[in-house]
Amino acid sequence: MLQKSAKRWPQWIESQLVRRGIEDDRVLRAFEAVPREAFIPSRYRDRAYSDRPVNIGCRQTISQPFVVALSIQALELTGTEKVLDVGTGSGYQAVLLSHLAREVFSIEVHHKLFINAKLVVERCQRAPVYQRHGDGSLGWAAEAPFDAIVAGARAPHLPQSLADQLAVGGRMVIPIGGESAQGLFQFKKEADGILRKKMLTRVVFVPLVGKEGTGGVPD
Ligand code: SAH
């Protein structure tokens, strides 16, 4: 159930999120609580609250706030969930999730980004965030099943491992498609194990590399 309130939000949250239809109060409060600038390299700090993705090194980006909010809102978190975050990147999304769920497992394929994110995540997390370096297209089998799974990188098709690791009743949000045209999809696992699919919006994401992604992994 969405919770709405008449609260006044900081200007960037009002214009980028509320006016575009992000209405889950818990999600908006998490965006208010987590300092986005802490996750952005110092030379780009002035862009922290701009309405676009920002470079975080290793040719990767922290997604535009609206896309992060839309993804997280579609996970329909209530605070009790075990969540898998595929593609830690800066760690921003993992920390937002830690304000909305019981525990977060976040996996990053670039070693340098994994190391960079570790400190800031430890400093800003609310619920525990467990981080790992590895191929997240395969999920995190030892910790499955997850009540929610979110990927911050686009896959050519839904990775079977992620589908398998989603609990019955769970929600997954993942961008799927080719280089130029991708949809951000929400999947819900029904009682019979079937996934119900809904497209949220069109997006452009960096590729999900790895075995069940676009292939290859960085050195
Ligand atoms: N959610 C992140 C941004 C995601 S950018 C944030 O809040 O900053 C996508 C991230 O996915 C990049 O850091 C990229 O290195 C990572 N990635 C791509 N393929 C991956 C894979 N197979 N396993 C884990 N991480 C992957």
Side-chain angles (χ1 to χ4, degrees):
M1 264 271 282
L2 292 186
Q3 295 171 15
K4 287 190 193 180
S5 77
K7 180 171 156 40
R8 279 186 70 88
W9 300 102
Q11 209 270 325
W12 72 278
I13 292 183
E14 185 66 41
S15 63
Q16 296 181 39
L17 308 186
V18 178
R19 271 189 226 149
R20 288 182 188 152
I22 303 299
E23 49 186 10
D24 185 331
D25 221 58
R26 291 185 72 241
V27 172
L28 295 168
R29 280 180 199 277
F31 274 83
E32 187 177 37
V34 179
R36 186 169 156 92
E37 71 274 9
F39 300 83
I40 289 184
S42 49
R43 65 181 181 288
Y44 301 131
R45 286 262 153 96
D46 57 333
R47 301 184 196 170
Y49 297 94
S50 66
D51 190 14
R52 53 184 174 171
V54 181
N55 245 308
I56 54 168
C58 299
R59 292 193 296 153
Q60 304 301 322
T61 53
I62 176 172
S63 305
Q64 179 193 13
F66 173 65
V67 174
V68 182
L70 191 66
S71 304
I72 292 181
Q73 179 168 268
L75 295 176
E76 299 170 10
L77 301 173
T78 62
T80 59
E81 296 83 1
K82 180 173 187 177
V83 184
L84 176 65
D85 173 48
V86 178
T88 313
S90 67
Y92 181 59
Q93 180 162 280
V95 167
L96 287 166
L97 292 168
S98 81
H99 282 245
L100 295 163
R102 177 168 54 88
E103 53 184 350
V104 180
F105 294 79
S106 185
I107 180 161
E108 169 58 50
V109 76
H110 270 97
H111 191 258
K112 182 161 176 265
L113 295 177
F114 162 72
I115 295 292
N116 287 352
K118 240 180 155 11
L119 283 175
V120 63
V121 168
E122 275 162 19
R123 185 152 51 83
C124 300
Q125 70 191 17
R126 181 166 290 174
V129 178
Y130 304 98
Q131 291 178 257
R132 214 184 98 190
H133 171 228
D135 178 5
S137 74
L138 302 172
W140 191 324
E143 290 295 342
F146 297 97
D147 306 302
I149 298 180
V150 59
R154 96 174 130 85
H157 46 75
L158 180 65
Q160 189 58 46
S161 297
L162 298 185
D164 292 344
Q165 291 174 30
L166 188 65
V168 168
R171 286 82 55 199
M172 172 162 24
V173 174
I174 180 168
I176 295 182
E179 206 166 315
S180 52
Q182 304 148 36
L184 185 64
F185 291 94
Q186 180 206 52
F187 292 88
K188 283 190 180 179
K189 197 178 260 191
E190 313 264 309
D192 53 9
I194 303 278
L195 289 169
R196 193 150 45 91
K197 177 177 176 181
K198 179 179 163 192
M199 175 151 147
L200 302 173
T201 188
R202 294 193 178 282
V203 282
V204 180
F205 271 85
V206 296
L208 180 77
V209 301
K211 267 211 173 111
E212 294 190 39
T214 57
V217 284
D219 304 331

